[in-house]
Amino acid sequence: GDVVLAGCTAGDPEDTASDVSAASTDSAGPTTTFPTGPAPGVTDDSVKIGVTYVDLASLGDIVTIDHGDYESAYQALFDDINANGGIHGRTLEPVFAPINPVGAEPADAACVQLTEDEDVFAVIGFFLDDNVLCPLETHETAVIGGVQTPERLERAAAPWFSPEGSSDFQAQVVRAMADGGELDGALGVFATAGDEALLNETVLPLLDELGIEPVETAINDASADDVAATNAQTAVIAERFESAGVDQVLVLGTAGLTWASGVESLDYRPPLRLTDPNSILACAGDQARRDLSVLDGAVAGNLYGGPENLWNMDNMQACIEKIDAGGGSVPEPDTVPEEDSDLWVAGFTACRNVVLLQALIEAAGADLNYGSFAAGADGLEVDVPVQPDPMTFGPPPAADGDPTAYLFDFDQDAREFVLRED
């Protein structure tokens, strides 16, 4: 996800923008064919696009995060496309819908506004967890963005593409860790109840295929609302791991925070292998209260990243130039003061989503409808400015562009995960 809005309440992964649930690496998902008739939001000379973004200002004093100006970044990119003749003679007409990320109601209201009142062709941008199903399933409207899982893909009634990864991606992370020699010790595997299917249907069979036999496997199934019970259960699991000689722990999905909270009071500090570091990153930045020794020697798998690494990519620079020329602003991450350290997020997000949208509409051809939109994407290579290599899209499970998994090492001084250079 783009942003983690989690507080550091253990066992509450619902607050992170990267909740990833069960998956199977070989589930091809539905082979839905979409109608070729007239699509919403398309006229002979324009295409209406809904744009959602996280409305941090609506949170008032709860958070002090500032991502910069989403609307000016998106508008500059749409203006640039339109000034160059649009796509197949059609201009792109954005309709903006900022979303307060607390609760589902603001997302639902934005969804109804864009799909019913505005009748947009596609909604792109910010989707938290299952909120993506409102446009995709309830309103049968195409989407770019959100985290794909087999269950969500199964329910999609319109084309869905995302540059944000998928639950399928976590299997790629485990593979990358094995290739990097990061799973060679006495391995324990830890998950929370929400990722039980990911553990049993994907990760354990994959470890078996890789010739890796975990010494211990555990699921913390305490209620996520009961922090004391969750922490107590994690501590019991950790003591079991320690007595079994486990010297590294593979932590699935959003369980990083659950593990860290539960073992803080213990002396046991096995290096962690995290398939999704986002939940724990929310706490790494929380100066006040975290014992980060639990992250000593931690390795995480994620999409390509590090703000400065993304900034330095040629395709990102080309996009940022368009935003700057159009009156927007994307500061270089290393140059902004710590308290404004997220001001680049809006520009990066707009670049990623608009570049993908433009490529998909171009590939659909002059007769733009959901059938041609889905067909044009099959095998489509797109130079999305979040990956150093082109992403290749297609039907699920390639609807996330099959991104490469990269390994990151935790840097205690910087309190962040740093991309491992080859």
Side-chain angles (χ1 to χ4, degrees):
D2 300 326
V3 51
V4 175
L5 301 163
C8 287
T9 49
D12 188 11
E14 298 310 313
D15 291 340
T16 79
S18 195
D19 174 36
V20 176
S21 64
S24 153
T25 44
D26 55 13
S27 68
T31 50
T32 314
T33 49
F34 298 106
T36 53
V42 179
T43 68
D44 287 345
D45 49 18
S46 70
V47 186
K48 203 182 272 194
I49 303 294
V51 180
T52 59
Y53 61 89
V54 58
D55 184 9
L56 294 170
S58 67
L59 298 176
D61 298 332
I62 306 174
V63 294
T64 53
I65 304 169
D66 185 353
H67 285 175
D69 188 336
Y70 279 99
E71 290 198 20
S72 71
Y74 275 105
Q75 190 66 55
L77 295 177
F78 285 120
D79 288 348
D80 178 76
I81 291 169
N82 295 341
N84 287 294
I87 305 173
H88 298 302
R90 294 185 181 95
T91 56
L92 301 185
E93 188 185 315
V95 182
F96 293 104
I99 294 177
N100 177 317
V102 178
E105 290 80 7
D108 284 343
C111 165
V112 169
Q113 174 206 337
L114 294 174
T115 59
E116 290 186 13
D117 304 347
E118 297 287 351
D119 202 29
V120 300
F121 173 73
V123 184
I124 74 174
F126 173 68
F127 305 94
L128 202 53
D129 302 336
D130 283 342
N131 293 348
V132 73
L133 292 170
C134 176
L136 270 180
E137 179 182 44
T138 311
H139 297 278
E140 301 183 3
T141 301
V143 165
I144 290 177
V147 174
Q148 298 185 334
T149 67
E151 192 252 354
R152 288 175 197 154
L153 285 161
E154 194 72 43
R155 293 169 62 180
W160 181 18
F161 302 97
S162 179
E164 292 182 52
S166 63
S167 47
D168 171 58
F169 178 70
Q170 292 198 46
Q172 309 296 342
V173 168
V174 173
R175 218 175 261 284
M177 287 180 175
D179 291 346
E182 298 300 342
L183 304 177
D184 289 349
L187 186 68
V189 186
F190 178 77
T192 51
D195 282 320
E196 189 167 357
L198 174 66
L199 171 69
N200 291 326
E201 293 166 24
T202 302
V203 173
L204 291 179
L206 177 58
L207 289 173
D208 188 49
E209 176 199 321
L210 294 167
I212 297 169
E213 189 177 342
V215 179
E216 285 281 351
T217 299
I219 292 171
N220 185 325
D221 57 7
S223 166
D225 302 333
D226 189 340
V227 175
T230 305
N231 285 346
Q233 192 174 38
T234 300
V236 169
I237 290 168
E239 283 162 358
R240 192 176 95 215
F241 278 20
E242 186 173 23
S243 62
V246 168
D247 58 15
Q248 54 187 192
V249 179
L250 178 63
V251 182
L252 304 187
T254 51
L257 197 49
T258 309
W259 177 269
S261 303
V263 301
E264 245 176 1
S265 60
L266 311 176
D267 294 329
Y268 182 45
R269 292 289 183 268
L272 303 183
R273 306 289 180 252
L274 299 144
T275 64
D276 177 357
N278 289 301
S279 72
I280 212 164
L281 279 175
C283 286
D286 182 352
Q287 305 288 347
R289 49 170 294 195
R290 283 287 154 184
D291 171 9
L292 292 183
S293 68
V294 297
L295 288 175
D296 280 345
V299 178
N302 213 337
L303 298 168
Y304 185 81
E308 196 69 15
N309 295 328
L310 292 169
W311 167 273
N312 282 317
M313 292 195 303
D314 291 345
N315 52 7
M316 184 65 85
Q317 281 299 314
C319 184
I320 288 169
E321 281 175 21
K322 294 173 182 175
I323 294 177
D324 289 343
S329 164
V330 188
E332 180 173 357
D334 275 5
T335 65
V336 292
E338 182 131 344
E339 62 273 15
D340 294 326
S341 64
D342 295 308
L343 282 171
W344 47 268
V345 173
F348 282 22
T349 304
C351 282
R352 177 188 74 186
N353 292 334
V354 174
V355 166
L356 179 54
L357 173 74
Q358 181 176 5
L360 288 166
I361 294 178
E362 281 174 356
D367 184 15
L368 180 61
N369 54 59
Y370 285 162
S372 64
F373 193 63
D378 196 353
L380 180 67
E381 281 198 3
V382 187
D383 202 14
V384 186
V386 281
Q387 284 277 335
D389 305 308
M391 298 170 75
T392 305
F393 289 85
D400 67 345
D402 281 342
T404 304
Y406 290 83
L407 297 183
F408 294 75
D409 297 290
F410 191 72
D411 180 330
Q412 285 286 4
D413 295 332
R415 303 172 73 93
E416 65 186 16
F417 285 94
V418 177
L419 180 68
R420 181 180 297 184
E421 304 295 344
D422 289 336

